[in-house]
Amino acid sequence: MKIIKRKDASQPVSDIPAADTSISEETPISTIAGIAEDITSKPPDLKEVLIKGSYLTEEDIKKAEQNAAGRDRPLEEHLLSEGLITRELLSQAMAEAYGVPYADIAAKTPSAEMVTRIPEETARQFHVVLYKEEDAHITVATDNPKQQELINKMNVLFPGKSVDFAYASETDIESLYIHYRKPLETRFAEIIKSGNKIAPEIIKEIFKDALSFHASDIHFEPHTAEVAIRFRVDGVLHEAGTLPKDLYENILNRVKVESHLRIDEHLSPQDGAMRFDASESIVDMRVSIIPTLSGEKIAIRLLAEYIKGFTLSDIGLSPANQNILANAAKKPFGMILVTGPTGSGKTTTLYALLKMVHRPEVNITTIEDPVEYRIEGVNQIQVNEGTNLNFARGLRSIVRQDPNIILVGEIRDTDTAEIAVNAALTGHLLLSTFHANDAATSIPRLLEMGVEPFLLASTLEVVIAQRLVRKLCENCRYSTSISKTEFSGTYPKATSYLKENEITLYKAKGCTSCSFTGFKGRTGVFEFIDVTPEIEQLILSNPSAQQIREMAEKEGNVSLFEDGMEKVKSGITTIDELLRVAAPPEKYEKPKTRRKNSQ
C-alpha cells in the first residue's frame, strides 16, 4: 500500500514548520468566527479529509476499507494499528477539516490546575479541556468544535474573555480527565460507605487508575495493618494507595474467581488470567498469587493496547538496525533471536517484527507462555503443561502445520533449541527469545545446550540484546552543558564515548504530564550482531563470548551502552538512566570503522 507522505510521519508534530494548524506560545490564535453556526452539520468525513489533504490516496483508502471490513474493525482503528497514518497526523487532518488549529496535547500538556478550571460535568458533556489561558482570551481543545452550546458555556465560565477553539483527539482529551479523579483512598471510602458491591467496585477503580497511568503491573502487597497498592510505570514502582486489611480477603477472592483460581488454596502459588472491560477495549491480564507471611500477594500484568500497537521505530530501533532486521525478516528461512532479562521488552520487539512481516499470503504460528497480545490473522498457541503441551512438543506439531513464520516464546531447554534450529534450517523463519546478558553470550550458551555448531552457523541470522530505559518528559525537558573534564570526573568509564570538549546533556524538571518524575514512557537500547560469513566461520570453531564480541566490534556492531549513549546525546534519556541498565565495556577500544547508528 502506497502512502503519500504529506508530512514526515517520523518527525514530531511539534517540530513541523509553521502551518495553519499549529499552536505556539508566540502565535496568538484568532477567534473562530461562526463556530457555533451549524450544530446540525455532520463531522467531517474521515475518508474525504485524508484524500483531500493528500495524507492517503483514494486507492489506499479503498484497500484499507476492505481490510478493515474483513477484520471487522473501524477504518480509523485499522489505519492507526497498521501504521498507515500516525495519530498526530490524523488529528492534524481533522483540525484542517474543521478549520481550527491543532492542539498537540502530548507536546504541551495542560496542568491539573488548567484542566480543573472547567467543571468535570461540562468537560465530559462537551468533550473539552482548557488548553491555554491568557489575559484577554482562552483556548479550549475539543474533538468537535461545531457544538452550538459550547461557546456559550465557555463565555459563562470565563466572562470577559474571547474564546478560541482548537482540535484534539478524543484519546488525548480523555487522558487529561485523570485530574478529576479523587485519590484512591477517598474513592474507597465512598464505595465502602455505599455498601454495594464493595470488592468489585474497588478493583474496578484500581484497574481504571492503572490504565490511566499506563502501568504495566499492579501489586497488592499485604502488611500487618493494611494492604499497599503499587503501580509499575515505566519500569519503576509507585505507591498508588492503601486498603484496610479487613477488606482484602473479599478482594483477593474476587480476583481468584475472575482468574479461575482456587479460593480455598492459601499456601501454594497460583497463576491465572482475567479480563477487564475498560469501556473502549477489553484488557487481558496475567495474575500471579503467592503466599507471604502477611497474607497472599497479588501481582497483575496488564497486557494493554498501548503496548500492542508499537512499531520498530516506536521501540527505539535506529534506522540502521531497522534495516538489518528488515533484511533478515525478508529471508525465507533462518533464526532471529532477542535476548535480555525479564521485563526488557523482548516480546514487544518480536510482536513489532511480526506486525511488519504479517501479510495475507503468509502463515504465521506462535507458541507462547503465555500469549500476551492477540493478533488478528495469526495462529497463537498457549503452552499448557497440564496437557503436556510444552514448547518442544508444540513446536514439533507446528512444523507439520505448513507455517512460513514461527514464533517461539522462549528457548528454555535443549529439546526446544534443537527443534527450533532444525525448523529454521528446513525452510521456516523462526523468531524467539533467549535469556542471556548480551548478544555475544547467547551464541556460546546455545552451543553449550547441545546445538551443533554447523547447524547454528547455517541458521542464525541476527541476535539482538536489549534493555529498557525511561524517556525524559518532553514537556519539561531542558538541556545543560558541562565540560568533558567535569563529565569524566562523574562518569570516568563513559568518557571514551565522547569526542566533544563541551557536552550537552538533558534533564527534566518534573511536571503534571510526567507526574513530577521527569520521565514519561520507555524506549529500548539495543546491541545487534548481524551474522556475517566471518561470524559463521567463527561459530564453527566453538568460540567464547569474548571472541564473538571482538569480531562483532571489528564488523561495526555497537554495544548496548554505545547505542544508549546516542540516545543520551539526543536528549531521549539521561546518562544515569542508561548506567542503571547497561554498563560501559571494561575494555573498550574504538574500531576504526563503525556502523553509523544515528537516531
Side-chain angles (χ1 to χ4, degrees), residues 441-511:
T441 306
S442 62
I443 294 175
R445 281 206 59 202
L446 283 168
L447 295 173
E448 288 169 6
M449 290 174 74
V451 177
E452 293 291 343
F454 72 92
L455 289 177
L456 190 60
S458 302
T459 57
L460 196 58
E461 297 292 337
V462 176
V463 185
I464 308 163
Q466 70 177 75
R467 302 288 189 277
L468 291 177
V469 294
R470 291 180 293 169
K471 294 166 62 177
L472 281 167
C473 174
E474 294 184 6
N475 199 47
C476 61
R477 182 183 63 182
Y478 67 94
S479 62
T480 180
S481 295
I482 64 171
S483 67
K484 190 171 184 178
T485 304
E486 186 181 352
F487 182 89
S488 62
T490 310
Y491 311 105
K493 293 183 179 179
T495 309
S496 58
Y497 290 85
L498 300 171
K499 294 180 180 178
E500 308 86 353
N501 291 323
E502 191 79 6
I503 304 127
T504 299
L505 297 177
Y506 294 82
K507 298 179 181 180
K509 298 176 182 177
C511 63

Side-chain angles (χ1 to χ4, degrees), residues 339-357:
T339 74
T342 301
S344 60
K346 301 186 296 297
T347 302
T348 303
T349 298
L350 287 182
Y351 272 67
L353 183 56
L354 272 189
K355 186 177 176 182
M356 184 182 75
V357 300

Side-chain angles (χ1 to χ4, degrees), residues 378-533:
V378 174
N379 308 295
Q380 295 174 276
I381 301 170
Q382 168 74 54
V383 166
N384 188 339
E385 296 292 346
T387 60
N388 200 26
L389 178 58
N390 54 28
F391 280 115
R393 187 181 181 90
L395 188 51
R396 285 192 184 96
S397 299
I398 289 172
V399 172
R400 295 192 287 269
Q401 286 283 316
D402 187 32
N404 299 102
I405 299 171
I406 303 171
L407 186 151
V408 180
E410 183 184 344
I411 294 177
R412 296 177 178 173
D413 51 51
T414 300
D415 283 350
T416 307
E418 290 178 348
I419 299 166
V421 168
N422 278 286
L425 189 66
T426 55
H428 307 93
L429 180 64
L430 190 132
L431 318 175
S432 189
T433 70
F434 190 68
H435 280 288
N437 289 331
D438 54 37
T441 306
S442 62
I443 294 175
R445 281 206 59 202
L446 283 168
L447 295 173
E448 288 169 6
M449 290 174 74
V451 177
E452 293 291 343
F454 72 92
L455 289 177
L456 190 60
S458 302
T459 57
L460 196 58
E461 297 292 337
V462 176
V463 185
I464 308 163
Q466 70 177 75
R467 302 288 189 277
L468 291 177
V469 294
R470 291 180 293 169
K471 294 166 62 177
L472 281 167
C473 174
E474 294 184 6
N475 199 47
C476 61
R477 182 183 63 182
Y478 67 94
S479 62
T480 180
S481 295
I482 64 171
S483 67
K484 190 171 184 178
T485 304
E486 186 181 352
F487 182 89
S488 62
T490 310
Y491 311 105
K493 293 183 179 179
T495 309
S496 58
Y497 290 85
L498 300 171
K499 294 180 180 178
E500 308 86 353
N501 291 323
E502 191 79 6
I503 304 127
T504 299
L505 297 177
Y506 294 82
K507 298 179 181 180
K509 298 176 182 177
C511 63
T512 56
S513 178
C514 59
S515 300
F516 298 97
T517 63
F519 296 95
K520 189 173 183 179
R522 287 192 291 177
T523 191
V525 293
F526 299 90
E527 174 190 4
F528 268 62
I529 291 184
D530 189 7
V531 181
T532 60

Side-chain angles (χ1 to χ4, degrees), residues 121-355:
E121 184 180 351
T122 301
R124 293 187 182 277
Q125 179 186 354
F126 294 99
H127 228 239
V128 67
V129 66
L130 180 60
Y131 183 68
K132 187 177 177 183
E133 182 175 16
E134 295 179 346
D135 293 336
H137 70 269
I138 63 164
T139 301
V140 294
T142 175
D143 63 350
N144 183 10
K146 291 188 176 293
Q147 300 175 82
Q148 188 172 13
E149 293 299 320
L150 179 55
I151 192 167
N152 297 330
K153 276 283 186 183
M154 295 301 104
N155 285 332
V156 171
L157 287 173
F158 303 96
K161 293 190 178 185
S162 62
V163 181
D164 297 337
F165 289 87
Y167 177 87
S169 71
E170 179 184 359
T171 302
D172 283 346
I173 292 171
E174 287 283 353
S175 69
L176 295 173
Y177 289 167
I178 191 171
H179 295 306
Y180 292 115
R181 297 177 73 79
K182 300 173 184 176
L184 273 176
E185 284 91 343
T186 304
R187 281 176 273 156
F188 293 162
E190 292 174 354
I191 292 168
I192 294 166
K193 188 177 179 180
S194 71
N196 297 321
K197 299 181 179 179
I198 294 176
E201 289 299 320
I202 285 177
I203 292 170
K204 181 180 178 181
E205 291 299 317
I206 294 169
F207 287 174
K208 284 165 66 177
D209 267 23
L211 290 169
S212 296
F213 287 111
H214 281 195
S216 60
D217 301 85
I218 305 170
H219 291 251
F220 294 78
E221 300 176 346
H223 301 302
T224 304
E226 62 185 17
V227 177
I229 301 162
R230 301 205 287 172
F231 297 157
R232 187 176 295 280
V233 181
D234 296 336
V236 178
L237 280 171
H238 300 272
E239 295 288 343
T242 57
L243 273 170
K245 190 72 176 285
D246 57 358
L247 293 175
Y248 185 53
E249 185 176 353
N250 286 337
I251 290 169
L252 174 64
N253 287 338
R254 179 75 182 188
V255 171
K256 286 182 176 180
V257 169
E258 293 287 339
S259 307
H260 306 287
L261 302 176
R262 290 180 54 184
I263 62 173
D264 60 342
E265 178 58 71
H266 304 287
L267 301 177
S268 297
Q270 296 192 76
D271 295 313
M274 62 186 294
R275 298 185 123 192
F276 174 63
D277 187 350
S279 69
E280 292 182 359
S281 61
I282 302 295
V283 179
D284 291 311
M285 300 179 174
R286 280 165 38 192
V287 178
S288 173
I289 300 176
I290 60 169
T292 71
L293 292 177
S294 300
E296 292 176 85
K297 178 185 180 297
I298 307 172
I300 301 176
R301 170 66 55 87
L302 279 65
L303 309 175
E305 290 292 322
Y306 49 78
I307 299 172
K308 179 180 175 181
F310 283 171
T311 63
L312 292 179
S313 59
D314 291 333
I315 62 178
L317 281 175
S318 66
N321 285 339
Q322 287 185 55
N323 288 335
I324 292 173
L325 204 49
N327 290 333
K330 288 176 183 176
K331 296 182 180 180
F333 60 89
M335 185 160 64
I336 298 173
L337 281 183
V338 183
T339 74
T342 301
S344 60
K346 301 186 296 297
T347 302
T348 303
T349 298
L350 287 182
Y351 272 67
L353 183 56
L354 272 189
K355 186 177 176 182

